[in-house]
Amino acid sequence: MTEKDFEKQMRALNEKEIEIARQKYELKKQYLEEYPIKINDKVDCNEKACWVSNIRFTTL
């Protein structure tokens, strides 16, 4: 494998990786748009009022 071949294959893989990351971001965004809890919503936290400040995906 030549250096040019290596660079070409790495560039193609990097482009795929960027596209996958974009698709994952869009999927999460779409999911959160339909999620029943939104940022700044008031929720019950052990019988105290709390406000949602952020939502994080902890799996996948």
Side-chain angles (χ1 to χ4, degrees), residues 7-36:
E7 289 174 358
K8 182 179 177 181
Q9 289 180 27
M10 285 299 289
R11 194 173 302 115
L13 289 173
N14 287 335
E15 289 172 5
K16 287 180 184 179
E17 189 175 39
I18 290 168
E19 177 60 21
I20 289 169
R22 187 195 65 74
Q23 289 176 359
K24 288 171 68 174
Y25 172 82
E26 290 298 322
L27 184 62
K28 289 176 182 180
K29 182 178 162 187
Q30 179 183 353
Y31 179 75
L32 287 176
E33 286 174 358
E34 300 171 11
Y35 199 67

Side-chain angles (χ1 to χ4, degrees), residues 35-50:
Y35 199 67
I37 298 172
K38 307 286 185 208
I39 293 183
N40 295 324
D41 280 358
K42 185 178 176 181
V43 294
D44 180 22
C45 298
N46 299 324
E47 301 180 11
K48 291 184 180 181
C50 300

